[in-house]
Amino acid sequence: FKLSEQKFCLVTNLAFCMSKSVLDQLKEHTVVVADTGDFGSIQQYAPRDATTNPSLILKASKQKDYANLVEEVVKTAVQNGITEVDSVMNQLLVKFGLSILKVVPGRVSTEVDARLSFDFDASLEKARSIISLYEDSGISRERILIKLATTWEGVRVSEVLEKEGIHTNMTLLFSLVQAVACAE
């Protein structure tokens, strides 16, 4: 039984591809981003980047494995006299983000509260606040993406933030019109 050199290469490459998982093959051609607040999943699948949102962090914070993070944020907030729920939530989002950054080599996206999606000033203020919390923890803004809803106001906030060297990740993008607004 003889294989031509060309057939041998094809068989060899096929066997090599079959030994890799679909995820590993995908990683060769694109950037894999985890959409979770669960560090265990992030470690298991080893994406380059991760993205979170308040509902994912809430889900993860209910898990026993992450109770210490929640307790630490609440304790620090009480010690610092922070009683506003939104401020404590920002601290929790960043605390999870900091933990995720220990697992991924790339960036983490942290979302501005979707309730602010149509409020330019509040979204801009919240985004700057989130970046400040990361920077106060020693993390460069190069490793952070501020996640904004793709409303007209969100796109305008993104434009301002990008000029300030704060990179953004647009979410809730459902139409070509939104995509064009982001691209412009």
Side-chain angles (χ1 to χ4, degrees), residues 60-119:
S61 69
K62 292 178 180 179
Q63 295 179 27
K64 183 179 174 185
D65 294 342
Y66 306 119
N68 61 327
L69 290 177
V70 176
E71 290 170 11
E72 185 179 335
V73 167
V74 171
K75 181 180 175 184
T76 301
V78 169
Q79 289 173 345
N80 294 329
I82 299 170
T83 57
E84 185 182 287
V85 173
D86 285 343
S87 294
V88 176
M89 187 62 187
N90 284 346
Q91 296 282 339
L92 186 62
L93 290 170
V94 170
K95 187 61 142 175
F96 268 82
L98 292 169
S99 297
I100 291 168
L101 285 169
K102 292 176 185 174
V103 180
V104 298
R107 297 177 174 177
V108 67
S109 294
T110 300
E111 187 171 339
V112 168
D113 190 327
R115 293 175 295 176
L116 305 177
S117 297
F118 296 98
D119 187 331

Side-chain angles (χ1 to χ4, degrees), residues 137-154:
S137 298
I139 301 298
S140 162
R141 54 180 63 184
E142 288 303 314
R143 293 208 60 209
I144 307 303
L145 295 171
I146 297 296
K147 192 174 184 181
L148 296 159
T150 309
T151 58
W152 182 252
E153 294 81 2

Side-chain angles (χ1 to χ4, degrees), residues 154-169:
V155 172
R156 299 287 64 91
V157 169
S158 175
E159 185 177 26
V160 170
L161 293 173
E162 289 286 341
K163 287 178 182 174
E164 295 176 3
I166 300 169
H167 300 298
T168 58
N169 176 9

